[in-house]
């Protein structure tokens, strides 16, 4: 019986990454964290960068994490970028390529959670080259899941 949680997903005829974040990404051990509807999963190729918009609310703690198929390799970067001014608020490359980040929000803000897969692929190169009409279909594809969990910030002090 195959173990789907860590299996590579080279056969996309069945799941196509749907629900990958729920099935494969480890959730926080803190029982107060609840999964938000901003959690997502998608199919990626090497060299691809993609982002999703997430609303963060004042007075909440958040845990944003990601998981991925092994075929995509190591050194995957997660960034949290302020949607209003484009400033990078967090970069996992500066945090030893951590796959999770917990923080408290002091101002309600929309952000982008950006995932960057290192490497290169013909498909990723074609996105930046208007002269390329078609490329050979990628076979080295994998799922990436983003989990966004939140809880009410616990009071501090007496």
């Amino acid at each position: 019986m195959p173990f789907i949680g860590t299996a590579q997903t080279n056969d996309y005829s069945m799941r196509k990454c749907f629900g990958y974040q729920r099935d494969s990404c480890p959730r926080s051990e803190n029982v107060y964290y609840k999964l938000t509807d901003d959690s997502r999963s998608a199919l990626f190729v090497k060299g691809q960068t993609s982002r999703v918009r997430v609303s963060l609310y004042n007075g909440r703690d958040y845990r944003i994490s990601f998981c991925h198929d092994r075929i995509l390799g190591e050194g995957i970067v997660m960034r949290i970028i302020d949607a209003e001014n484009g400033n990078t608020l967090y970069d996992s490359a500066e945090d030893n390529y951590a796959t999770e980040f917990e923080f408290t929000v002091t101002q309600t803000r929309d952000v982008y959670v950006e995932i960057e897969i290192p490497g290169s692929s013909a498909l990723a190169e074609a996105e930046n080259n208007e002269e390329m009409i078609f490329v050979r279909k990628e076979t080295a594809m994998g799922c990436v899941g983003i989990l966004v969990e939140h809880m009410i910030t616990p009071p501090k002090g007496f």
Side-chain angles (χ1 to χ4, degrees):
M1 177 184 232
F3 181 64
I4 295 174
T6 60
Q8 282 188 228
T9 53
N10 290 334
D11 178 11
Y12 296 101
S13 62
M14 292 179 61
R15 57 184 280 162
K16 298 183 183 175
C17 298
F18 181 76
Y20 183 82
Q21 78 280 5
R22 284 188 318 271
D23 300 338
S24 301
C25 296
R27 303 228 2 221
S28 172
E29 293 180 8
N30 184 332
V31 297
Y32 296 106
Y33 272 117
K34 303 298 178 211
L35 199 59
T36 74
D37 291 337
D38 291 320
S39 300
R40 298 276 185 273
S41 59
L43 184 62
F44 279 76
V45 296
K46 290 187 177 192
Q48 183 177 359
T49 300
S50 188
R51 58 173 54 171
V52 63
R53 192 176 187 112
V54 174
S55 295
L56 304 176
Y57 297 98
N58 179 28
R60 291 190 181 173
D61 288 358
Y62 284 85
R63 178 181 184 269
I64 299 178
S65 61
F66 73 94
C67 63
H68 60 89
D69 281 332
R70 291 176 294 201
I71 196 165
L72 295 173
E74 298 300 319
I76 294 174
V77 177
M78 175 179 70
R79 290 185 192 89
I80 300 174
I81 300 167
D82 189 319
E84 187 176 312
N85 60 28
N87 290 340
T88 299
L89 305 172
Y90 173 76
D91 187 333
S92 69
E94 298 172 2
D95 191 16
N96 202 27
Y97 296 97
T99 59
E100 63 184 55
F101 180 57
E102 292 189 43
F103 55 97
T104 299
V105 175
T106 59
Q107 294 180 22
T108 297
R109 185 71 46 114
D110 283 348
V111 298
Y112 294 109
V113 177
E114 181 177 86
I115 299 293
E116 179 183 331
I117 310 296
S120 65
S121 69
L123 186 59
E125 291 174 22
E127 290 177 359
N128 299 322
N129 185 341
E130 294 179 12
E131 295 178 14
M132 294 181 81
I133 297 171
F134 64 86
V135 295
R136 182 178 298 276
K137 181 173 168 68
E138 291 289 335
T139 57
M141 298 181 285
C143 295
V144 173
I146 297 174
L147 281 182
V148 181
E149 299 170 277
H150 71 98
M151 69 176 175
I152 301 297
T153 301
K156 312 290 190 289
F158 293 110

